[in-house]
């Protein structure tokens, strides 16, 4: 069925493919569900999306082993290579680190190292940033943004027990 007749009825309307639009707007947070675009729908489309285009000769394809050292005081030092986090989208960093690093380390890297240089982090406050990042760390759907911030606050507080440095 063709929907082109809509553009004739509503002159200021454009027609777009829903899935392609969600992929294109993947860096923008979904603050609330609108007109049938649910969080579950967005996540399923983004999970099915192929990984970022990386040329085969790129050093980013080579997985670097996480560098973890025990300090004299019994704490842990995590050396995070720039190839793991620099220039990548938040969800790509999370997916790339989740099997190798504790969530506290991932939260630290995302919040402190990746906030200022990313287009998707155009938040006015740290609270907005924590809310966005908190959504990455839970499958649970909270009705209020404060729950996501509380989760991030807890993870960042627990990250204080580690020494996290750029490698």
């Amino acid at each position: 069925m063709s929907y082109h007749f809509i553009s004739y009825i509503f002159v200021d309307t454009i027609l777009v493919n829903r899935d392609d639009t969600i992929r294109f707007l993947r860096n923008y947070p979904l603050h609330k569900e609108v007109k049938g675009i649910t969080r579950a729908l967005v996540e399923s489309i983004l999970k099915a999306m192929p990984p970022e285009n990386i040329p085969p000769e790129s050093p980013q394809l080579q997985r670097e082993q996480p560098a973890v050292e025990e300090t004299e005081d019994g704490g842990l030092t995590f050396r995070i290579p720039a190839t793991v986090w620099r220039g990548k989208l938040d969800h790509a960093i999370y997916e790339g680190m989740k099997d190798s690093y504790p969530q506290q380390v991932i939260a630290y890297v995302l919040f402190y190292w990746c906030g200022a240089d990313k287009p998707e982090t155009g938040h006015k406050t740290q609270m907005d940033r924590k809310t966005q990042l908190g959504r990455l760390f839970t499958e649970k759907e909270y009705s209020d943004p404060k729950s996501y911030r509380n989760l991030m606050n807890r993870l960042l507080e627990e990250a204080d027990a580690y020494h996290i440095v750029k490698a």
Side-chain angles (χ1 to χ4, degrees):
M1 177 177 193
S2 175
Y3 292 96
H4 294 290
F5 70 92
I6 294 173
S7 62
Y8 295 113
I9 297 171
F10 302 102
V11 181
D12 59 348
T13 300
I14 60 169
L15 302 174
V16 295
N17 180 295
R18 178 193 66 195
D19 294 2
D20 289 339
T21 303
I22 290 171
R23 285 185 203 100
F24 181 77
L25 297 173
R26 68 186 174 274
N27 298 333
Y28 293 91
L30 177 65
H31 292 292
K32 62 180 181 177
E33 297 177 353
V34 290
K35 298 190 178 188
I37 299 178
T38 64
R39 182 161 313 282
L41 172 70
V42 170
E43 289 174 0
S44 69
I45 290 171
L46 293 180
K47 283 181 183 175
M49 193 169 104
E52 301 287 327
N53 292 334
I54 300 174
E57 66 278 354
S58 172
Q60 291 180 342
L61 282 180
Q62 301 170 355
R63 285 260 171 187
E64 293 188 37
Q65 294 298 320
V68 182
E69 301 169 359
E70 190 169 348
T71 59
E72 291 178 11
D73 63 356
L76 294 177
T77 298
F78 289 90
R79 297 189 186 286
I80 314 297
T83 56
V84 171
W85 59 271
R86 184 171 286 145
K88 295 184 179 179
L89 302 174
D90 290 339
H91 69 276
I93 294 169
Y94 176 79
E95 290 297 322
M97 293 181 73
K98 73 178 182 181
D99 295 331
S100 303
Y101 296 94
Q103 286 194 333
Q104 296 86 347
V105 173
I106 301 169
Y108 182 94
V109 168
L110 285 168
F111 187 73
Y112 291 113
W113 297 355
C114 301
D117 61 343
K118 294 188 173 222
E120 75 265 26
T121 61
H123 303 296
K124 293 179 181 162
T125 66
Q126 286 187 345
M127 288 187 344
D128 292 341
R129 178 75 175 139
K130 285 181 180 178
T131 301
Q132 177 197 13
L133 292 175
R135 293 181 196 279
L136 291 173
F137 290 92
T138 183
E139 295 288 322
K140 189 173 181 182
E141 190 70 32
Y142 294 115
S143 60
D144 64 326
K146 189 169 194 287
S147 297
Y148 297 107
R149 289 193 303 271
N150 289 341
L151 173 62
M152 276 301 292
N153 287 335
R154 181 181 57 78
L155 290 171
L156 292 171
E157 186 177 307
E158 291 171 2
D160 288 339
Y162 302 124
H163 303 282
I164 304 167
V165 294
K166 298 176 183 176

